[in-house]
Amino acid sequence: MYRRIVFAAAQGVSFEDAAEALAELGEFVILPKRVWRAAKRIGEERVEECRAAADRYRELPLPAQRASPVSQVPRVACVQMDGGRFQERDRLAEKPPVSQEKSESESEPNEGCWCEYKAGILMSMTSEEHAEDPCPELPATFVDPGKMREIAREIKGFTSDSQVSIKADEEAGVDFKERLGRPEIVVKSVVATSGDVGEFGPLLASAAYERGFHAAARKAFVADGSSTNWSVWRTYFSHYTPILDFVHALMYVYAGAMAGRSADEGWSHYRDWAQWLWSGQIDRLLEALHQRQQELGVPEKKETGTPRAQVASSLGYLSNQRERMKYNEYRKQGLPITSSPMESTIKQINRRIKGTEKFWSEGADPMLHLVADRLSQTNVTAQFWSRRVDRIIQSASYHQAG
């Protein structure tokens, strides 16, 4: 019964939704409050298990951490991380009702209630290594004005209302998802917590260790340019190849090329700059941005929204990330170059955790662990329930013997 309740709680969008599904499909009636209590209890057990695993990992000497505890090591190991948001009620405020998810009409205003959670995915992948770049031409996806506007709108901090009169380049390369040499995902697992980066890093590193990732011959850590992401890489994954998500880098190229120019003129510059980025010609790209900055001038302090401020932002971002943008080399090694699987996973987690009418006073971290388990393809849920049954049986036997 616990297993069904927890599955419904993590699969649905609310505890009320889970209770309705259990009544209709599981043929037993249970109040949403009891669904929450059961999910919180099991989630807390998973939190403790993951923390204990992280503690054991940290106690290992470095050579042991780099070894594999399992016989099967992935051909390509990829770790990605990002963050999401959820609303948390002030724990110092008046004690809320027992239900942990209240409608906005029943709660205080949500200003200042947003908190961050951190999530990571670990993907075992398969790919071939190549003597030459298997896809030297920029994919058609990134030379289609319409698609680029859509991508710009989807990524936080970027907008694109410019109407480019030219059509997509019919002679461009293949679609990005169909490009030659693209690594394929074999198995994915997910880690998530509402804890800070000091707690998240060991959780992610120990999860990678348990899957034999640290011993893989080819390893990649892919993320956007957030300093938090790269602090985790430096501390726990410095032996992985660091890769800046290509799409985020491309958005800064796109914004810098279009800033202060007509749509058609900006697109012409973007087309060249994007190819340089794709080909790993970063010095050439940075030189073009430097030249553009000289044309527009350096922005004043705290200046935002102007063409010269945008060019300065693009130049600063790409300069700071230049060692993580060797995309032609990564493709030769058969490594992934985008964090799109991570972005998709964040959306899946948000479906259960985030909402303008969802407030958590407790239980968010246990639920994050349960949702991560549900999204994992490593049979982690079945293994947990097997361990739990064994513990219950052993505990019962111990008390009988006493």
Side-chain angles (χ1 to χ4, degrees):
M1 184 181 71
Y2 259 127
R3 188 168 182 173
R4 291 181 180 181
I5 293 172
V6 169
F7 176 84
Q11 174 71 20
V13 297
S14 68
F15 296 123
E16 289 78 7
D17 184 59
E20 183 179 350
L22 289 167
E24 184 69 23
L25 303 176
E27 298 184 353
F28 64 92
V29 178
I30 183 172
L31 294 175
K33 182 165 59 176
R34 291 193 63 190
V35 174
W36 166 70
R37 287 175 176 169
K40 181 172 178 289
R41 177 178 179 180
I42 299 302
E44 287 174 343
E45 292 183 22
R46 284 293 294 133
V47 170
E48 290 305 313
E49 277 195 348
C50 292
R51 287 176 177 170
D55 290 340
R56 290 193 299 270
Y57 171 75
R58 283 187 286 195
E59 291 173 357
L60 293 173
L62 183 59
Q65 290 182 351
R66 299 291 175 87
S68 175
V70 294
S71 58
Q72 187 172 3
V73 175
R75 296 183 62 185
V76 178
C78 178
V79 175
Q80 303 186 0
M81 67 172 286
D82 202 350
R85 302 175 74 203
F86 68 98
Q87 293 193 97
E88 184 175 48
R89 296 171 64 102
D90 187 353
R91 296 186 182 185
L92 298 179
E94 183 180 352
K95 187 176 180 181
V98 175
S99 177
Q100 300 305 297
E101 295 173 292
K102 305 299 294 179
S103 70
E104 194 170 35
S105 61
E106 298 173 314
S107 304
E108 64 272 23
N110 63 0
E111 292 183 6
C113 294
W114 289 104
C115 301
E116 292 185 355
Y117 70 83
K118 293 174 176 58
I121 58 173
L122 305 103
M123 299 179 293
S124 58
M125 310 182 83
T126 180
S127 69
E128 299 295 332
E129 295 184 79
H130 305 269
E132 301 294 336
D133 186 348
C135 185
E137 295 298 321
L138 185 68
T141 303
F142 305 126
V143 289
D144 184 322
K147 290 182 178 179
M148 285 303 301
R149 287 194 295 271
E150 292 176 7
I151 295 172
R153 283 193 294 265
E154 290 177 0
I155 294 183
K156 183 180 179 181
F158 292 95
T159 58
S160 178
D161 298 323
S162 300
Q163 297 297 318
V164 181
S165 60
I166 61 173
K167 296 181 179 180
D169 188 348
E170 296 181 356
E171 298 182 359
V174 297
D175 185 85
F176 180 73
K177 294 182 179 180
E178 299 175 355
R179 63 185 175 86
L180 182 64
R182 181 170 179 261
E184 299 293 334
I185 300 173
V186 179
V187 177
K188 179 186 81 172
S189 58
V190 183
V191 175
T193 181
S194 62
D196 60 19
V197 67
E199 179 178 347
F200 174 72
L203 291 177
L204 188 63
S206 64
Y209 165 77
E210 290 174 358
R211 292 191 57 193
F213 275 33
H214 299 333
R218 288 181 286 159
K219 302 179 287 290
F221 186 96
V222 187
D224 63 32
S226 167
S227 59
T228 298
N229 296 337
W230 298 109
S231 69
V232 171
W233 168 76
R234 280 190 297 272
T235 305
Y236 302 101
F237 298 94
S238 59
H239 53 306
Y240 285 54
T241 300
I243 301 175
L244 176 69
D245 170 53
F246 176 78
V247 176
H248 275 82
L250 188 67
M251 286 298 97
Y252 279 92
V253 171
Y254 180 72
M258 303 297 289
R261 291 187 171 116
S262 67
D264 289 352
E265 181 188 5
W267 182 261
S268 176
H269 286 278
Y270 160 76
R271 182 64 178 82
D272 291 335
W273 293 8
Q275 180 62 57
W276 297 342
L277 177 70
W278 180 259
S279 303
Q281 300 179 60
I282 308 305
D283 289 339
R284 190 176 183 182
L285 171 60
L286 294 178
E287 179 58 33
L289 276 165
H290 273 295
Q291 182 176 346
R292 182 57 176 160
Q293 186 177 62
Q294 291 175 357
E295 295 171 357
L296 294 175
V298 178
E300 301 290 337
K301 290 183 178 180
K302 298 183 180 180
E303 181 178 336
T304 59
T306 64
R308 62 182 184 179
Q310 182 57 71
V311 170
S313 174
S314 295
L315 181 58
Y317 183 91
L318 296 171
S319 296
N320 291 336
Q321 302 293 333
R322 64 185 304 164
E323 296 302 320
R324 302 169 186 145
M325 299 189 295
K326 304 172 184 176
Y327 299 114
N328 58 324
E329 293 297 325
Y330 306 146
R331 291 192 296 274
K332 288 165 63 176
Q333 297 171 38
L335 299 177
I337 61 174
T338 73
S339 59
S340 56
M342 185 74 256
E343 303 289 341
S344 175
T345 300
I346 290 292
K347 291 179 181 179
Q348 291 176 292
I349 295 174
N350 284 347
R351 177 179 175 272
R352 180 61 185 91
I353 300 297
K354 181 181 178 181
T356 57
E357 298 181 356
K358 258 181 204 173
F359 292 82
W360 300 82
S361 60
E362 57 178 309
D365 199 42
M367 183 55 65
L368 278 166
H369 279 71
L370 294 180
V371 173
D373 287 349
R374 184 185 68 80
L375 296 176
S376 297
Q377 302 168 336
T378 52
N379 208 28
V380 62
T381 301
Q383 294 171 2
F384 165 74
W385 288 112
S386 178
R387 290 192 302 271
R388 193 172 192 274
V389 169
D390 290 343
R391 286 198 302 269
I392 293 173
I393 293 175
Q394 292 174 5
S395 177
S397 300
Y398 173 80
H399 286 298
Q400 290 176 3

